[in-house]
Amino acid sequence: MTRLRLAILISGRGSNMEALLRAARDPAYPAEPVLVLSNRPDAAGLQFAEAAGVAALAIDHKTYGKDREAFEFHVDSTLRGAGVEVIALAGFMRVLTPWFVKRWEGRMINIHPSLLPKYKGLDTHQRALDAGDTEAGCTVHWVSAGVDEGEIIAQARVPILPGDTAETLAARTLPAEHKLYPEALAKACAVIAAR
Ligand code: GAR
């Protein structure tokens, strides 16, 4: 089986990245992590990736000021230089331009902490609580030009319990993300490989 060359893009803690790296330790997993890239040099996840033996680097978006495309051009050329075939966004908190999305169309997926199409964007858990929802969850989807709007690959649900805060709900959702993301990435790899 050919494993697709995987890049994981992060901005911070990187716990979903860790879940993907763990899954990919299995030689039968359909993706092989070749690069972890952060837009923030202080992202904790970079150290974990390095310790796990995966190339890890930061491209600091602040260096580019408001020039999103120049930042993305550097990211794109780095990914292509590493021979990347599939991208998993894992807590990558930069909105990508249509140019970058188009370049990686059908090869880039994202995890989002809500049951899309509900609660695109930020503060998903607080918004679910404010709406009086009885369940929350997470979604893995293909990345398309609209933020958090691409076709859904997989979802996982968690209950909302009395007394929940955004923090307790996030803490309940995160383990569901860690289980869902490796499964959904494997599905995405199967789709890519079948093209
Ligand atoms: C995760 O909950 C992920 O779903 C969310 O950020 C967190 C990153 O945690 N992503 C988004 O909100 C994207 N819009 P992690 O760095 O520990 O994986």
Side-chain angles (χ1 to χ4, degrees):
M1 180 199 55
T2 334
R3 308 176 80 197
L4 295 181
R5 294 173 67 81
L6 167 69
I8 306 170
L9 269 53
I10 64 170
S11 294
R13 179 177 58 184
S15 69
N16 277 289
M17 172 210 71
E18 284 183 35
L20 296 178
L21 295 184
R22 281 206 184 90
R25 281 190 201 143
D26 178 352
Y29 191 75
E32 174 196 4
V34 294
L35 182 64
V36 169
L37 201 155
S38 171
N39 64 306
R40 297 181 59 111
D42 59 353
L46 287 174
Q47 282 152 28
F48 182 96
E50 255 171 29
V54 178
L57 64 92
I59 297 179
D60 187 351
H61 69 272
K62 288 194 185 133
T63 314
Y64 297 87
K66 290 194 188 315
D67 193 346
R68 278 182 189 270
E69 288 204 356
F71 162 72
E72 289 180 358
F73 188 80
H74 191 176
V75 172
D76 179 67
S77 59
T78 303
L79 294 168
R80 283 174 196 276
V84 168
E85 296 169 296
V86 59
I87 299 175
L89 304 180
F92 184 72
M93 302 309 274
R94 299 291 294 168
V95 172
L96 295 163
T97 67
W99 174 79
F100 189 92
V101 171
K102 184 85 192 153
R103 253 175 110 65
W104 289 94
E105 195 171 23
R107 292 188 169 268
M108 179 160 58
I109 67 173
N110 179 46
I111 187 156
H112 183 75
S114 78
L115 292 172
L116 290 173
K118 279 187 161 181
Y119 315 127
K120 297 166 188 165
L122 300 175
D123 299 323
T124 54
H125 300 303
Q126 189 58 54
R127 286 155 68 202
L129 292 171
D130 292 347
D133 292 356
T134 55
E135 62 175 8
C138 49
T139 303
V140 177
H141 62 95
W142 294 100
V143 176
S144 66
V147 175
D148 301 327
E149 283 188 353
E151 190 190 332
I152 290 171
I153 299 166
Q155 288 186 313
R157 292 166 190 275
V158 297
I160 293 181
L161 302 178
D164 261 343
T165 62
E167 288 72 30
T168 59
L169 184 53
R172 190 173 310 118
T173 307
L174 200 59
E177 295 188 39
H178 298 161
K179 181 167 183 297
L180 183 72
Y181 210 1
E183 294 167 2
L185 173 60
K187 274 193 190 177
C189 287
V191 171
I192 293 168
R195 279 190 199 127

